[in-house]
Amino acid sequence: MTAFDKWFQSIKNRFRPKKRGFELVEDIPNQHFSDVAALDEAVDSLRSLVDVLRHPDKYAQYGARAPRGVLLYGPPGTGKTLLARALAGEAGVPFYSVSGSDFVQMYVGVGASRVRELFKKARKSGRAVVFIDEIDALGGRREGGNDEREQTLNALLTEMSGFRKDEGIIVLAATNRPDKLDAALTRPGRFDRQIEVGMPDRAGRLRILSVHSQGKPMARDVDFERLAADTVSFSGAKLESMLNEAALRAARRNEGVITAEDVGFAFRSVVVGDEKLSTGRNRRERELTAFHEAGHALATVLLEPESRLSRVSIIPSTRGAAGYSMAVPPDRMLMTLAQLEAHIGIALAGRAAEELAFGSSSITTGAGNDLMHATELAARMCLEWGMDSDTGLVSRQVLAQFGAANGEVAVKERLGRVYGMTKAVLEEHRRALTELAETLLDREWLDGGEAETLMRRAFAREEIKKTAKVAI
Ligand code: ADP
Ligand code: ZN
């Protein structure tokens, strides 16, 4: 190596970015518990840890073994990461975060040493929150043969049992599959505290919407109560992204406020994707779509009157849907057998309407997603919820553990039966189906209320015709 080379090398080294093992966020987050809405129990439970993080020595002085690991479990987007960051922010300590799936996917062969590196860094700052997202990827039930995962998991367990009493490090892990976790993780001294982070109910959604509308110039015509009612099955993340979408739209328009129309647009864009502007579809496809969506809408009104139709449209979306019929189901925790069958019927009604209107050789691929949804429900009814007399009161999940499971016949039978029933109901109200489809062809989309009124008027005329027939 010449002198020049040496000099050049030293310059290069000086400016080479510091080698970073993997994504480590080590700032003190600026989130606080006040940024978390509708998770009161989870926040209460974490609040006691703030003191542990702030004054670990105090706990050591009393000989107390402070909690080390907390498992947050619940569906994606419900605020688990937010809670972890808020805990660190509240205590004023650094936040180190990594995802379990990174360990197994990206760092093959180095998982265990990465874990040690992560904890070394956390220890250096003395007090910290370490967040492991998707811990199920790392600590899933051992299924033999995956050395990599096993070693990484063992390294994590070793690190956690090696904490000194005066160290203020708390490990938060998140998963949406708590049932998949290795029992070793939940033993005392490890993730022995478990907090459920569930989907928000209507009141919770209202609070989340209010947190995220802070700092946004919302117009007075935005009805938050109604929005909270309409966003059934939206997670906190979905609500946040909806309001953000609305704000983006308003900013592009630049008229000073975010209007109800912006929010409505954002709502649909979150649920079905953006509407495609150029609709180069032929007449026949539009007709098929109109009947398909009218079928869903009609079945909703007939089979599930407790839900509210919010919009029927044959404008294709950028996510590949030819149209949609959107309804707001009531907030509920349990579903009955009858409600489930109604749901299956609504899903199958698109196909049933195509068949009724154009004959069995004109049915389309547009029902693909509907069939997936219907099959899933029927399968879970038969094989998970014990709602089928043929398959009986068995849980397929448990049976599978013993290497025995079947039930395809029962699922098919159920789907076939509900399909037949749905088709018969639609046929009985063919007039409403046709009128709705024709109006859709004409106007592209209808507000849910309008669509319902239209169908109810048609029902009334059907009644008159029927009684007239009887009279003759
Ligand atoms: P998870 O980790 O459960 O998948 P996140 O914490 O990453 O969910 O949520 C993503 C975003 O959604 C948060 O940063 C926040 O903006 C919003 N969010 C989710 N849940 C809530 C909540 N309960 N309160 C306020 N905002 C929330
Ligand atoms: Zn459909």
Side-chain angles (χ1 to χ4, degrees):
M1 204 183 253
T2 66
F4 174 80
D5 283 337
K6 264 191 197 150
W7 171 80
F8 187 62
Q9 198 68 42
S10 76
I11 295 286
K12 257 191 4 200
N13 282 343
R14 202 180 313 157
F15 292 105
R16 180 179 291 163
K18 282 230 175 64
K19 198 175 141 222
R20 297 189 59 173
F22 50 131
E23 229 16 77
L24 267 185
V25 187
E26 39 191 294
D27 57 336
I28 298 175
N30 50 15
Q31 278 99 338
H32 292 88
F33 286 143
S34 57
D35 296 310
V36 185
L39 293 171
D40 300 340
E41 283 172 39
V43 167
D44 276 347
S45 180
L46 290 180
R47 213 179 276 284
S48 63
L49 299 180
V50 172
D51 196 49
V52 176
L53 283 166
R54 282 197 188 141
H55 311 289
D57 37 339
K58 184 173 82 185
Y59 289 80
Q61 196 185 327
Y62 285 90
R65 183 171 52 77
R68 291 303 185 193
V70 180
L71 185 70
L72 305 170
Y73 67 92
T78 45
K80 297 180 289 296
T81 313
L82 177 65
L83 276 169
R85 292 183 63 86
L87 172 64
E90 202 76 31
V93 304
F95 177 78
Y96 297 88
S97 132
V98 71
S99 170
S101 62
D102 292 348
F103 282 127
V104 282
Q105 282 159 23
M106 279 151 60
Y107 305 110
V108 179
V110 291
S113 69
R114 296 295 182 193
V115 168
R116 287 191 284 271
E117 192 184 322
L118 173 68
F119 279 87
K120 207 165 112 194
K121 287 199 178 181
R123 282 203 157 111
K124 227 182 233 164
S125 40
R127 305 175 305 154
V129 170
V130 174
F131 180 63
I132 303 176
D133 203 1
E134 298 179 57
I135 194 164
D136 43 295
L138 183 62
R141 229 172 255 149
R142 299 177 219 210
E143 276 138 7
N146 196 336
D147 280 354
E148 172 69 18
R149 247 164 58 165
E150 184 120 342
Q151 278 171 17
T152 312
L153 177 61
N154 285 337
L156 173 67
L157 295 176
T158 312
E159 288 294 335
M160 287 186 71
S161 45
F163 283 142
R164 285 197 323 270
K165 277 195 176 138
D166 58 347
E167 273 173 330
I169 296 171
I170 287 178
V171 188
L172 260 58
T175 178
N176 44 25
R177 302 297 311 268
D179 52 310
K180 286 261 154 150
L181 288 187
D182 196 300
L185 276 172
T186 47
R187 241 170 251 152
R190 290 163 182 175
F191 294 97
D192 47 6
R193 217 193 260 199
Q194 294 170 19
I195 301 179
E196 184 182 1
V197 184
M199 290 289 277
D201 60 7
R202 183 181 165 146
R205 293 194 296 271
L206 187 60
R207 289 172 57 196
I208 295 173
L209 285 169
S210 126
V211 163
H212 287 287
S213 56
Q214 298 298 311
K216 292 190 177 74
M218 307 299 299
R220 232 175 275 141
D221 67 342
V222 178
D223 181 349
F224 281 99
E225 293 278 350
R226 172 81 187 255
L227 199 53
D230 281 358
T231 41
V232 177
S233 82
F234 273 45
S235 64
K238 244 186 181 179
L239 292 168
E240 191 274 336
S241 104
M242 177 182 73
L243 287 184
N244 187 54
E245 192 70 36
L248 284 172
R249 188 169 189 261
R252 278 194 294 269
R253 225 188 32 254
N254 202 13
E255 280 165 14
V257 287
I258 304 172
T259 62
E261 206 204 318
D262 293 322
V263 178
F265 186 89
F267 173 73
R268 289 190 296 280
S269 135
V270 169
V271 177
V272 285
D274 289 330
E275 290 175 342
K276 254 193 203 161
L277 293 177
S278 59
T279 63
R281 271 186 311 175
N282 65 40
R283 209 182 121 75
R284 180 67 166 175
E285 269 195 4
R286 287 183 78 244
E287 280 172 1
L288 277 159
T289 307
F291 272 89
H292 181 107
E293 301 309 334
H296 286 309
L298 178 55
T300 305
V301 169
L302 294 169
L303 305 178
E304 203 179 60
E306 67 272 28
S307 54
R308 186 163 46 77
L309 208 56
S310 65
R311 197 179 176 98
V312 195
S313 160
I314 58 164
I315 303 173
S317 82
T318 48
R319 249 184 257 160
Y324 58 86
S325 157
M326 204 157 76
V328 181
D331 251 323
R332 54 191 165 199
M333 279 180 69
L334 300 172
M335 281 184 82
T336 66
L337 185 146
Q339 287 165 344
L340 286 162
E341 290 209 331
H343 235 76
I344 296 179
I346 294 168
L348 296 178
R351 163 61 60 84
E354 290 175 8
E355 197 189 332
L356 276 175
F358 303 102
S360 55
S361 58
S362 292
I363 55 175
T364 73
T365 51
N369 275 325
D370 298 337
L371 293 187
M372 257 165 72
H373 184 61
T375 309
E376 187 189 336
L377 280 181
R380 296 181 75 180
M381 286 175 78
C382 298
L383 308 168
E384 194 175 319
W385 300 320
M387 289 180 172
D388 187 272
S389 55
D390 281 340
T391 43
L393 293 170
V394 297
S395 157
R396 155 89 155 240
Q397 233 187 341
V398 177
L399 269 192
Q401 288 168 18
F402 294 93
N406 226 318
E408 206 180 307
V409 180
V411 175
K412 274 192 194 149
E413 192 276 330
R414 169 163 246 119
L415 285 172
R417 186 167 50 72
V418 178
Y419 182 73
M421 179 219 32
T422 307
K423 212 165 80 178
V425 186
L426 295 189
E427 191 150 30
E428 198 183 323
H429 299 280
R430 194 185 261 275
R431 181 165 190 158
L433 180 71
T434 313
E435 283 180 20
L436 180 56
E438 278 167 0
T439 314
L440 276 172
L441 277 172
D442 194 34
R443 304 212 352 229
E444 298 264 277
W445 66 270
L446 277 116
D447 174 68
E450 272 180 293
E452 278 197 34
T453 311
L454 184 151
M455 285 186 276
R456 293 202 188 285
R457 280 210 199 106
F459 294 164
R461 281 198 294 275
E462 282 163 355
E463 271 314 304
I464 294 167
K465 214 169 127 197
K466 249 184 249 159
T467 28
K469 255 188 208 154
V470 175
I472 292 162

